[in-house]
Amino acid sequence: MNYLHQFVFGIYPYIALAIFLVGSLIRFDREQYSWKSESSQTLHNGMLRLGSPLFHIGVLGLFFGHLAGLLTPVWVWDTLGVSHGAKQLVAMVAGGVMGSLCLVGLLMLLARRLGNERVRARSTFRDKLVLVWLLATLLLGLTSIFASASHMDGHVMVQLMTWAQHVVTLRGDAAGFIVDAPLVFQLHLFMGMSLFAIFPFTRLVHVWSGFGAVTYLSRAYQLVRSR
């Protein structure tokens, strides 16, 4: 079990990250016409108008919340006078709100994709896989809130932060920090890392374009001249 834990939380993060980055680059280079969200709005608009915004607001909030919460060094929070318990409470509330928005939107999108005959016929296995994978990851994350409520001292939260920071700084002892973390957190981490591994093979690649759209803010105006 120690070898498995070391592999999943000490080696697998780099495998998933390599697949995420290299896979995205290869797909952009070789299959640019597949680099899109493949919208099915023209097939059926039901539940999309509400479900899509809820899902995207929730998932973006969760992504940036995890990014800031896990990668901000502990000493920064200590310097600001924010106790570990207070930070955990904020993470639980914010995660619960954004997670609930994301869950409602995701369930609507999943019901639409599987419930409408035209959309279902147009959907690929990868489309269904990514929605189910997101749902499982999200449910594990929401379940971890209840696990966190049983220990409000912030100890497990600090363990998770230390693990993430040691992973991104390429230190080999990362897995040891979460060896005693509750199973629900470990499963959530594994599902989240695996999401990056399947990312390049699904329509999720359009996320790159979303972030790339920020560059339009610095572009010069397009001049359109009439004849």
Side-chain angles (χ1 to χ4, degrees):
M1 182 59 68
N2 288 335
Y3 290 112
L4 179 61
H5 181 86
Q6 176 62 32
F7 174 78
V8 173
F9 299 106
I11 300 174
Y12 182 61
Y14 301 108
I15 296 176
L17 184 62
I19 295 174
F20 169 67
L21 294 175
V22 177
S24 296
L25 181 62
I26 293 175
R27 180 167 177 183
F28 182 76
D29 182 60
R30 295 175 59 89
E31 301 179 27
Q32 291 188 18
Y33 287 110
S34 71
W35 190 279
K36 54 186 177 179
S37 63
E38 299 181 20
S39 175
S40 57
Q41 184 176 1
T42 56
L43 298 176
H44 179 62
N45 197 28
M47 292 191 288
L48 188 64
R49 184 173 301 231
L50 179 60
S52 183
L54 287 176
F55 168 73
H56 283 90
I57 292 172
V59 78
L60 286 174
L62 291 172
F63 175 77
F64 288 110
H66 279 69
L67 198 66
L70 289 175
L71 298 185
T72 302
V74 177
W75 64 264
V76 172
W77 300 106
D78 294 338
T79 302
L80 295 174
V82 180
S83 67
H84 297 168
K87 180 185 179 298
Q88 177 174 318
L89 180 60
V90 172
M92 290 169 60
V93 174
V97 172
M98 290 299 174
S100 297
L101 291 176
C102 186
L103 179 61
V104 172
L106 183 56
L107 288 175
M108 294 177 71
L109 294 179
L110 191 59
R112 172 181 174 274
R113 185 160 296 277
L114 300 180
N116 182 269
E117 184 178 352
R118 297 180 68 194
V119 178
R120 185 172 64 250
R122 181 66 178 80
S123 301
T124 65
F125 171 76
R126 292 177 296 177
D127 295 333
K128 300 170 186 176
L129 173 65
V130 74
L131 286 176
V132 172
W133 202 280
L134 282 167
L135 179 61
T137 306
L138 181 59
L139 289 175
L140 285 169
L142 290 173
T143 303
S144 70
I145 295 176
F146 298 99
S148 298
S150 63
H151 46 78
M152 293 298 297
D153 57 355
H155 175 66
V156 175
M157 178 196 65
V158 173
Q159 288 180 317
L160 298 172
M161 293 170 62
T162 307
W163 167 80
Q165 291 165 26
H166 278 233
V167 166
V168 299
T169 53
L170 307 180
R171 285 181 273 184
D173 59 346
F177 289 99
I178 56 171
V179 68
D180 296 323
L183 180 61
V184 65
F185 289 100
Q186 296 187 14
L187 290 174
H188 182 56
L189 290 175
F190 173 74
M191 294 294 287
M193 291 185 293
S194 298
L195 189 60
F196 283 90
I198 67 174
F199 181 99
F201 310 102
T202 68
R203 65 175 64 198
L204 288 177
V205 291
H206 78 279
V207 174
W208 283 115
S209 299
F211 287 116
V214 178
T215 60
Y216 281 95
L217 297 176
S218 60
R219 287 189 179 186
Y221 290 106
Q222 182 180 20
L223 298 179
V224 180
R225 302 183 186 276
S226 59
R227 292 184 177 182

